[in-house]
Structures are given as structure tokens and as C-alpha cells.
Amino acid sequence: MILLTGGAGYIGSHTCVELQEANYDIVIADNLSNSHIESIDRIYEITGKRPAFYDTDLLDGEGLNAIFEENQIEAVIHFGGLKAVGESVAEPLKYYRNNIAGTVNLLEVMKQHNVKNLVFSSSATVYGDPHSVPIQEHFALTATNPYGRTKLMIEEMLKDLYHADPEWSISILRYFNPVGAHESGLIGEDPNGIPNNLFPFIAQVAIGSRSCLHIFGDDYPTADGTGVRDYIHVMDLANGHVKALEKNLYSTGTDAYNLGTGIGYSVLQMVRAFEKVNQVGIPYKVMSRRQGDIAECYADSSKANSELNWYATRGISQMCRDAWNWQVKNPSGYKSHAFS
Ligand code: WQD
């Protein structure tokens, strides 16, 4: 059994589908603070296999322990954590408690049950404002907000854990910008409240639930002045977790991998692509820069290519198509019922 903490969430649910299709049995632990129980039914609808589900918070040591007592867990993929940059600036202690203390709890329970195979959900945010692009794993690591600092601290914790006990097999996956949805449109990104991220905001403008996209700055040193990012289809990202899990099964150590496409697109390029692929209009207004944003960020994923035999295979058109398909079928996210 593979335990997915935060497995009812956006990336967790897509990874669950990918793992089930690779014939793994899944247990999901999620406190549903930023996800929906409906996603479990949708996973079942896609794969015909229902993951075991525990409504458990990572801060609940006894609850976590019960999961390991009741299931033969052989590895853990750790998605569970808070991830809103702005919120982390306003409420740092909430982020340190949930992300750091929650991870320490998880690692202690894993150790007690001699489960030492872990895939950790990290983020390109640990690179801060890189000195150059494309970004490689050996680049300097720095955090520019409490959320990013929790990711960086957890990466350091995992390295210390491996040095104390070389039986651990740990893969740290640094996501660039996950977007899109499973091709069925049954699972997808359903952020709470106003989306912080570009893609769900674009999709909500396209479906009419938001009137206008605000583009945060067009005076960056980029081709068209808007921010450049490495958008990666969530199913490619999900596949990266399967490959990392399999690498952990035959080797020990702690390694970090960039999961991105290696291609940077600007905000305006994404808007144009979304409009063209889906034949929709995205009204927008250029505003001032968002605090903490960087001009350009995209990955060199050659380490994941060679060591995990992982490659991103889906391009920008499929990202736009699948994001839109999810939005059309679920105009209010999981709260709405899938249209036929
Ligand atoms: C992308 C581009 C914005 C919204 C964030 C987190 C990072 C990771 C991924 C968790 C930027 C522009 C955005 C909008 C806009 N999350 N934008 N209008 O900031 O690259 O990364 O999500 O790990 O930690 O920082 O993603 O989608 O917010 O922004 O113009 O309404 O779109 O300025 O250039 P970002 P994003």
C-alpha cells in the first residue's frame, strides 16, 4: 500500500489515479482543509478502484499511527501541507505548525513502523530568484516567504534524516507550475476562494465566474514584459511521482529532482494559448507587479530524465484543453455536479 498524505487534493488526486493505473494500492490521509471528499468518488469513477480514505490531520499522531497499524504501508508520498504564499506571509505560525510539525509527526510514525521510502512534494519556490535559467538542482536554495521556507526546511530535515539513518530512500520533487486536469474532466484544480494561481483564474474568467484577469506587471525583463513560468501538465507531474517511487524501491539516498517541461511561457502567451485552444475570450487588465514575483523561472529537468527515466509529454495546448474541460464540467468545482 502507498500512503498519500493530502491525496484528496489537486496533485494528490491525479497522482492517485496514475498510481492505481500502475497497479499500486492506495491509502489517502487528508484533513480536507484544502480539498474535497468528492474527489475520492471521482477517482473511483476514473479507475474503478476506491482508495482507502482517512480524514486525518498530520498533527494527529495517534490518527497517523492508526493508518500504519491498519494498513501494510510500504511507502509514503507526502503532499499534505498548506501552500498559499500570501497566507503564509500573514500567518507564518500556521504554516510552520502545519507544514513542519506535521511533517515531523509523519516521519516519526514512519520510523516507528520501519517505513523508510518517501517522495516529498517540494517546489521551485526553494530557488527564490535564480541567477539564471534554466534552473538546475545544484543552484543556490533560498526562500522569499514562509511557505517557501517550510519547503526548504523540510528538504533540509530529510537530508539530516538520511545522514542519521542511511536506510531511508527519499526523493524530493521540485514542482514548477502544475496546471491542467485529468482528460476525463472528473478531477481538477478547485482552489478555495479567489485563485492565487494564473491558470485557475484564467479558467474562471473564461467560464464567466470572474469578470477580468489582472495581469501582475508587464514591465519585467521578458519578451513581452509579463512573467515567464514553466507550466507542467498535472498528469506529467503525477507520472513523475510514480517514477520517483520506483527509483526509491531500488536505491537509498536523498535526491532532489526538478519536474518541469524546460519551456517557459509568459502570462500573455498563456492567455493567448488558452483563448485559441478553447475558442474563448479572456478579458484582462494590466496591474502593478505582485510582491514577491520573479521575472523568469523554468526548469532544467535533465536529472529527472536520466535518473528517473521521466519525461514531460503533454504540451501547452493539452494543458489549456484539459483545464477548460474540467472547468466546463465543474463550473463551481467539486461542489457542482459533473454535466453529462
Ligand atoms: C504565474 C504567473 C504571476 C495570477 C506559485 C507559488 C509557487 C507554487 C506555484 C506551490 C506570474 C502571473 C498570476 C494572476 C497574474 N505553488 N499571475 N495574475 O507565482 O509562479 O508560483 O504557484 O508550490 O510556490 O509561488 O504561480 O500561477 O501564481 O503565477 O498575472 O491572477 O502568472 O505574476 O508571473 P507562481 P502563479
Side-chain angles (χ1 to χ4, degrees), residues 2-8 12-13 16 26-30 40 43 51-55 67:
I2 310 296
L3 170 62
L4 272 55
T5 70
S13 55
C16 181
I26 306 298
V27 178
I28 288 178
D30 199 307
I40 307 298
I43 289 167
F53 176 74
Y54 289 79
D55 181 350
I67 295 172

Side-chain angles (χ1 to χ4, degrees), residues 11 82-86 121-126 144-145 147-148 151 175-179 189 194-202 212-217 220 226-231 265-268 270-271 285 287-290 292-297:
I11 298 160
L82 299 173
K83 61 163 197 168
V85 171
S121 164
S122 190
S123 166
T125 202
V126 300
T144 54
N145 56 72
Y147 160 73
K151 289 297 185 186
Y175 306 163
F176 280 69
N177 288 61
V179 296
E189 187 170 11
I194 302 173
N196 296 310
N197 296 136
L198 177 67
F199 237 67
F201 206 106
I202 286 179
C212 170
L213 169 70
H214 287 173
I215 294 183
F216 300 140
Y220 285 101
T226 62
V228 171
R229 296 292 185 275
D230 184 332
Y231 298 94
Y265 285 100
S266 75
V267 176
L268 278 173
M270 291 312 281
V271 169
K285 189 172 170 222
M287 314 296 282
S288 54
R289 295 181 177 187
R290 178 172 66 177
D293 272 359
I294 61 176
E296 209 166 9
C297 173

